[in-house]
Protein backbone atom coordinates (compact mmCIF):
# COMPACT_ATOMS: atom_id res chain seq x y z
CA UNK A 1 0.00 0.00 0.00
CA UNK A 2 1.28 3.46 -0.90
CA UNK A 3 1.21 6.75 0.97
CA UNK A 4 -0.34 9.60 -1.01
CA UNK A 5 1.22 13.07 -0.89
CA UNK A 6 -1.21 15.95 -1.25
CA UNK A 7 -0.59 18.99 -3.41
CA UNK A 8 0.11 22.14 -1.33
CA UNK A 9 -3.13 23.89 -2.25
CA UNK A 10 -3.37 25.31 1.29
CA UNK A 11 -1.14 25.59 4.36
CA UNK A 12 -2.95 22.58 5.86
CA UNK A 13 -2.31 20.47 2.78
CA UNK A 14 1.38 21.35 2.61
CA UNK A 15 3.36 18.50 4.11
CA UNK A 16 0.30 16.37 4.86
CA UNK A 17 -0.21 12.87 3.50
CA UNK A 18 -2.88 10.20 3.42
CA UNK A 19 -3.66 6.67 2.29
CA UNK A 20 -4.11 5.71 -1.34
CA UNK A 21 -6.50 2.88 -0.29
CA UNK A 22 -5.22 0.64 -3.07
CA UNK A 23 -5.89 -2.51 -1.04
CA UNK A 24 -9.52 -1.61 -0.28
CA UNK A 25 -11.88 -3.71 -2.42
CA UNK A 26 -15.26 -2.74 -0.95
CA UNK A 27 -16.50 0.69 0.10
CA UNK A 28 -19.55 -0.28 2.18
CA UNK A 29 -19.31 -2.58 5.22
CA UNK A 30 -21.33 -5.71 5.91
CA UNK A 31 -24.52 -4.49 7.62
CA UNK A 32 -24.92 -7.59 9.77
CA UNK A 33 -21.52 -6.94 11.38
CA UNK A 34 -22.10 -3.31 12.35
CA UNK A 35 -22.93 -1.91 15.77
CA UNK A 36 -23.59 1.58 17.06
CA UNK A 37 -21.64 3.23 19.83
CA UNK A 38 -22.66 6.24 21.84
CA UNK A 39 -20.14 9.05 22.04
CA UNK A 40 -18.96 9.40 25.63
CA UNK A 41 -16.38 12.19 25.07
CA UNK A 42 -14.15 10.78 27.80
CA UNK A 43 -16.91 10.80 30.44
CA UNK A 44 -17.98 7.97 32.73
CA UNK A 45 -21.50 6.93 33.72
CA UNK A 46 -21.72 9.88 36.13
CA UNK A 47 -20.89 12.39 33.41
CA UNK A 48 -17.47 13.25 34.81
CA UNK A 49 -14.46 13.52 32.52
CA UNK A 50 -12.15 10.58 33.24
CA UNK A 51 -10.10 10.82 30.01
CA UNK A 52 -9.18 14.36 29.01
CA UNK A 53 -9.01 15.79 25.49
CA UNK A 54 -11.69 13.55 23.99
CA UNK A 55 -14.84 14.56 22.15
CA UNK A 56 -16.37 15.48 18.82
CA UNK A 57 -15.07 13.81 15.70
CA UNK A 58 -16.62 12.06 12.75
CA UNK A 59 -19.43 9.57 13.20
CA UNK A 60 -18.33 5.96 13.27
CA UNK A 61 -20.00 2.59 13.38
CA UNK A 62 -18.27 -0.30 15.08
CA UNK A 63 -17.22 -3.28 12.98
CA UNK A 64 -17.62 -6.49 14.98
CA UNK A 65 -14.24 -8.25 14.67
CA UNK A 66 -13.68 -11.96 15.28
CA UNK A 67 -10.71 -11.90 17.64
CA UNK A 68 -11.40 -15.41 18.95
CA UNK A 69 -11.17 -17.18 15.57
CA UNK A 70 -13.24 -20.03 17.01
CA UNK A 71 -14.66 -21.37 13.72
CA UNK A 72 -12.48 -24.44 14.17
CA UNK A 73 -12.06 -26.71 11.18
CA UNK A 74 -14.41 -24.69 8.94
CA UNK A 75 -12.65 -23.13 5.93
CA UNK A 76 -13.49 -19.60 4.92
CA UNK A 77 -12.89 -17.45 1.86
CA UNK A 78 -11.83 -13.81 1.89
CA UNK A 79 -14.57 -11.80 0.19
CA UNK A 80 -13.20 -8.26 0.60
CA UNK A 81 -10.62 -6.07 2.31
CA UNK A 82 -12.20 -3.03 3.95
CA UNK A 83 -11.43 0.14 5.88
CA UNK A 84 -12.23 0.26 9.59
CA UNK A 85 -12.49 3.74 11.14
CA UNK A 86 -12.05 2.28 14.63
CA UNK A 87 -8.53 0.88 14.13
CA UNK A 88 -5.33 1.48 12.24
CA UNK A 89 -5.34 -1.96 10.57
CA UNK A 90 -7.50 -3.03 7.65
CA UNK A 91 -10.11 -5.74 8.08
CA UNK A 92 -11.05 -8.66 5.84
CA UNK A 93 -14.56 -10.06 5.39
CA UNK A 94 -14.47 -13.86 5.52
CA UNK A 95 -17.37 -16.02 4.34
CA UNK A 96 -17.29 -19.50 5.87
CA UNK A 97 -18.55 -22.69 4.29
CA UNK A 98 -21.54 -22.83 6.66
CA UNK A 99 -22.71 -19.41 5.41
CA UNK A 100 -21.58 -17.26 8.33
CA UNK A 101 -19.62 -14.07 7.68
CA UNK A 102 -17.05 -12.57 10.03
CA UNK A 103 -14.49 -9.80 10.02
CA UNK A 104 -10.85 -10.55 10.83
CA UNK A 105 -7.79 -8.31 10.97
CA UNK A 106 -6.19 -8.31 7.53
CA UNK A 107 -2.51 -9.38 7.60
CA UNK A 108 0.10 -8.46 5.00
CA UNK A 109 -0.36 -10.53 1.84
CA UNK A 110 -3.98 -11.57 2.40
CA UNK A 111 -5.98 -11.03 -0.80
CA UNK A 112 -9.54 -11.51 -1.99
CA UNK A 113 -10.14 -15.16 -2.84
CA UNK A 114 -7.64 -16.55 -0.33
CA UNK A 115 -8.75 -19.33 2.00
CA UNK A 116 -8.32 -19.09 5.76
CA UNK A 117 -8.95 -21.61 8.52
CA UNK A 118 -8.66 -21.99 12.27
CA UNK A 119 -7.77 -25.00 14.37
CA UNK A 120 -5.08 -27.61 14.87
CA UNK A 121 -5.41 -28.97 11.32
CA UNK A 122 -4.88 -25.57 9.68
CA UNK A 123 -1.65 -24.96 7.77
CA UNK A 124 0.87 -22.43 9.02
CA UNK A 125 -0.13 -19.89 6.37
CA UNK A 126 -0.93 -16.19 6.29
CA UNK A 127 -4.33 -15.54 7.89
CA UNK A 128 -4.74 -18.95 9.53
CA UNK A 129 -5.22 -19.16 13.30
CA UNK A 130 -3.59 -21.89 15.37
CA UNK A 131 -2.59 -22.57 18.94
CA UNK A 132 0.98 -21.56 19.68
CA UNK A 133 1.85 -25.17 20.46
CA UNK A 134 1.03 -26.11 16.85
CA UNK A 135 3.34 -23.51 15.29
CA UNK A 136 7.05 -23.94 14.54
CA UNK A 137 9.59 -21.71 16.25
CA UNK A 138 10.29 -18.48 14.41
CA UNK A 139 6.72 -18.00 13.15
CA UNK A 140 5.63 -14.37 12.78
CA UNK A 141 2.22 -13.90 14.42
CA UNK A 142 -0.35 -11.33 15.52
CA UNK A 143 -3.73 -11.18 17.34
CA UNK A 144 -2.42 -13.21 20.25
CA UNK A 145 -4.51 -14.47 23.14
CA UNK A 146 -3.37 -13.92 26.72
CA UNK A 147 -5.85 -16.43 28.13
CA UNK A 148 -7.07 -19.46 26.12
CA UNK A 149 -10.52 -18.84 24.67
CA UNK A 150 -10.65 -15.14 25.52
CA UNK A 151 -9.70 -13.88 22.06
CA UNK A 152 -6.72 -11.96 20.77
CA UNK A 153 -5.72 -9.04 22.98
CA UNK A 154 -2.23 -7.98 21.90
CA UNK A 155 -0.39 -7.27 18.61
CA UNK A 156 -3.43 -6.03 16.70
CA UNK A 157 -2.43 -2.57 15.40
CA UNK A 158 -1.20 -1.73 11.90
CA UNK A 159 2.21 -3.16 11.04
CA UNK A 160 2.59 -4.99 14.36
CA UNK A 161 3.96 -8.51 14.64
CA UNK A 162 5.40 -10.81 17.28
CA UNK A 163 7.64 -13.84 16.88
CA UNK A 164 7.42 -17.26 18.47
CA UNK A 165 10.91 -17.82 19.89
CA UNK A 166 10.63 -21.10 21.81
CA UNK A 167 8.29 -23.53 23.54
CA UNK A 168 8.97 -24.63 27.10
CA UNK A 169 6.49 -27.06 28.61
CA UNK A 170 3.07 -25.44 28.88
CA UNK A 171 4.37 -22.02 27.83
CA UNK A 172 5.57 -20.37 24.64
CA UNK A 173 8.17 -17.60 24.61
CA UNK A 174 7.23 -14.60 22.46
CA UNK A 175 9.13 -11.52 21.36
CA UNK A 176 6.60 -8.69 21.31
CA UNK A 177 6.78 -5.56 19.11
CA UNK A 178 8.15 -3.53 22.05
CA UNK A 179 11.11 -5.91 22.36
CA UNK A 180 9.72 -7.49 25.52
CA UNK A 181 10.19 -11.24 25.89
CA UNK A 182 7.15 -12.81 27.51
CA UNK A 183 5.81 -16.28 28.24
CA UNK A 184 2.26 -17.10 27.15
CA UNK A 185 0.37 -20.36 27.55
CA UNK A 186 1.01 -22.55 24.52
CA UNK A 187 -2.71 -23.32 24.29
CA UNK A 188 -3.43 -19.68 23.35
CA UNK A 189 -4.44 -18.96 19.77
CA UNK A 190 -2.64 -16.58 17.41
CA UNK A 191 -2.91 -15.66 13.75
CA UNK A 192 -0.03 -16.19 11.33
CA UNK A 193 1.49 -13.13 9.66
CA UNK A 194 2.09 -9.44 10.23
CA UNK A 195 -0.79 -6.98 10.55
CA UNK A 196 -1.34 -5.06 7.31
CA UNK A 197 -1.26 -1.31 6.58
CA UNK A 198 2.41 -1.18 7.52
CA UNK A 199 2.80 2.43 6.31
CA UNK A 200 0.29 3.75 8.85
CA UNK A 201 3.05 5.37 10.94
CA UNK A 202 4.23 7.40 7.91
CA UNK A 203 1.01 9.40 7.63
CA UNK A 204 1.26 13.11 8.49
CA UNK A 205 -2.03 14.71 9.46
CA UNK A 206 -0.82 18.17 8.48
CA UNK A 207 -3.55 20.21 10.18
CA UNK A 208 -5.44 20.40 13.44
CA UNK A 209 -8.76 19.53 11.79
CA UNK A 210 -7.70 16.00 10.94
CA UNK A 211 -6.86 15.47 14.59
CA UNK A 212 -10.32 16.74 15.59
CA UNK A 213 -11.89 14.25 13.17
CA UNK A 214 -10.23 11.55 15.27
CA UNK A 215 -12.02 12.78 18.41
CA UNK A 216 -8.94 14.47 19.85
CA UNK A 217 -9.53 17.89 21.38
CA UNK A 218 -6.74 20.43 21.92
CA UNK A 219 -4.26 19.95 24.74
CA UNK A 220 -3.13 23.05 26.60
CA UNK A 221 0.44 23.10 27.92
CA UNK A 222 0.77 23.21 31.68
CA UNK A 223 3.49 25.90 31.48
CA UNK A 224 0.98 28.44 30.14
CA UNK A 225 -1.53 27.79 32.95
CA UNK A 226 -1.82 29.44 36.34
CA UNK A 227 -0.29 27.78 39.42
CA UNK A 228 -3.75 26.86 40.67
CA UNK A 229 -4.39 24.82 37.51
CA UNK A 230 -1.09 23.01 36.97
CA UNK A 231 2.21 22.39 38.80
CA UNK A 232 4.08 23.91 35.80
CA UNK A 233 2.00 27.10 35.85
CA UNK A 234 2.92 30.61 36.92
CA UNK A 235 6.04 32.72 36.57
CA UNK A 236 6.78 35.87 34.62
CA UNK A 237 7.29 35.43 30.91
CA UNK A 238 8.45 32.10 29.54
CA UNK A 239 9.44 30.62 32.88
CA UNK A 240 10.95 27.16 33.53
CA UNK A 241 8.73 24.69 35.33
CA UNK A 242 10.76 25.08 38.53
CA UNK A 243 11.13 21.41 39.40
CA UNK A 244 13.56 18.57 38.60
CA UNK A 245 11.11 16.73 36.38
CA UNK A 246 7.69 17.33 34.80
CA UNK A 247 4.48 16.39 36.56
CA UNK A 248 0.89 15.75 35.64
CA UNK A 249 -1.87 18.20 36.68
CA UNK A 250 -2.31 16.09 39.84
CA UNK A 251 1.35 16.23 40.84
CA UNK A 252 2.38 12.75 39.72
CA UNK A 253 5.75 12.37 37.91
CA UNK A 254 5.44 11.90 34.16
CA UNK A 255 7.48 11.65 30.94
CA UNK A 256 9.64 8.64 31.72
CA UNK A 257 8.42 7.69 35.18
CA UNK A 258 7.49 4.01 35.24
CA UNK A 259 3.93 3.47 36.42
CA UNK A 260 3.79 -0.34 36.38
CA UNK A 261 3.85 -1.67 39.91
CA UNK A 262 4.24 -5.22 41.12
CA UNK A 263 1.75 -7.37 39.24
CA UNK A 264 1.17 -11.13 39.25
CA UNK A 265 2.01 -11.24 35.54
CA UNK A 266 5.59 -10.10 36.23
CA UNK A 267 6.61 -13.76 36.47
CA UNK A 268 5.77 -14.21 32.77
CA UNK A 269 8.06 -11.39 31.59
CA UNK A 270 11.50 -12.76 30.77
CA UNK A 271 13.00 -9.51 29.49
CA UNK A 272 11.57 -6.02 29.90
CA UNK A 273 11.00 -3.74 26.95
CA UNK A 274 13.34 -1.16 28.52
Amino acid sequence: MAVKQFKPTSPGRRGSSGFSFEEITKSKPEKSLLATRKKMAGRNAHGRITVRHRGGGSKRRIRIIDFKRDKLGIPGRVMSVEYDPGRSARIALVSYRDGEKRYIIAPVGLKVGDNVQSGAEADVRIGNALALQNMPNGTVIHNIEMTPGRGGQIVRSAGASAQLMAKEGDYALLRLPSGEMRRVLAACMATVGQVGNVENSLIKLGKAGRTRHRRRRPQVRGSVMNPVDHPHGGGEGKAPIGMPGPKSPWGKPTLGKRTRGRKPSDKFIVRRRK
Side-chain angles (χ1 to χ4, degrees):
M1 193 207 72
V3 175
K4 178 174 60 176
Q5 298 293 333
F6 295 111
K7 293 182 178 180
T9 55
S10 67
R13 282 296 199 188
R14 187 181 302 277
S16 64
S17 59
F19 297 114
S20 62
F21 297 107
E22 294 175 354
E23 76 283 6
I24 302 300
T25 62
K26 183 180 175 183
S27 58
K28 293 185 178 181
E30 180 70 24
K31 286 187 177 181
S32 61
L33 297 174
L34 292 180
T36 58
R37 181 182 181 183
K38 182 180 178 181
K39 289 185 178 181
M40 301 300 291
R43 289 163 172 81
N44 61 9
H46 300 286
R48 301 187 181 97
I49 294 178
T50 55
V51 182
R52 300 185 303 155
H53 316 130
R54 299 291 183 270
S58 302
K59 287 186 177 181
R60 302 175 182 175
R61 299 193 71 185
I62 297 174
R63 277 69 169 168
I64 301 173
I65 311 296
D66 179 20
F67 294 118
K68 292 187 176 182
R69 299 297 301 270
D70 53 0
K71 298 282 288 185
L72 304 179
I74 304 176
R77 186 170 180 269
V78 177
M79 305 300 294
S80 63
V81 178
E82 302 178 19
Y83 170 78
D84 187 353
R87 67 191 65 254
S88 58
R90 303 292 180 244
I91 56 177
L93 180 63
V94 178
S95 178
Y96 289 93
R97 185 172 293 176
D98 59 0
E100 186 178 1
K101 293 181 179 180
R102 293 189 181 185
Y103 277 128
I104 65 170
I105 294 178
V108 175
L110 191 70
K111 302 182 295 298
V112 174
D114 290 350
N115 294 319
V116 296
Q117 192 173 350
S118 304
E121 66 277 5
D123 297 330
V124 182
R125 197 174 62 229
I126 299 296
N128 286 357
L130 302 86
L132 295 174
Q133 60 194 4
N134 297 327
M135 295 182 184
N137 293 343
T139 306
V140 176
I141 53 178
H142 67 278
N143 187 38
I144 306 166
E145 289 183 334
M146 303 289 284
T147 304
R150 189 170 184 177
Q153 294 178 269
I154 56 176
V155 195
R156 305 191 316 197
S157 60
S161 66
Q163 190 172 16
L164 177 60
M165 305 302 293
K167 286 175 280 189
E168 305 165 353
D170 293 335
Y171 289 89
L173 183 63
L174 304 180
R175 183 173 65 194
L176 302 180
S178 63
E180 179 177 292
M181 301 286 286
R182 183 187 178 95
R183 286 195 298 266
V184 177
L185 282 171
C188 291
M189 296 278 288
T191 307
V192 180
Q194 179 186 9
V195 182
N197 195 20
V198 179
E199 295 88 354
N200 181 72
S201 60
L202 303 178
I203 296 298
K204 296 182 180 179
L205 299 182
K207 63 179 183 179
R210 291 179 71 181
T211 305
R212 297 301 297 268
H213 296 158
R214 297 184 173 197
R215 301 182 179 180
R216 296 293 188 269
R217 299 186 66 232
Q219 297 189 26
V220 180
R221 290 172 294 136
S223 58
V224 298
M225 297 183 186
N226 295 321
V228 69
D229 299 315
H230 201 282
H232 299 174
E236 297 295 329
K238 190 175 179 66
I241 62 176
M243 53 188 66
K247 294 182 179 179
S248 69
W250 303 276
K252 301 293 184 181
T254 183
L255 288 183
K257 173 67 176 178
R258 294 188 178 183
T259 58
R260 180 185 173 99
R262 293 183 178 179
K263 300 181 69 174
S265 59
D266 284 348
K267 60 185 178 181
F268 299 119
I269 298 176
V270 177
R271 187 183 72 195
R272 297 277 184 179
R273 62 188 180 93
K274 292 185 178 179

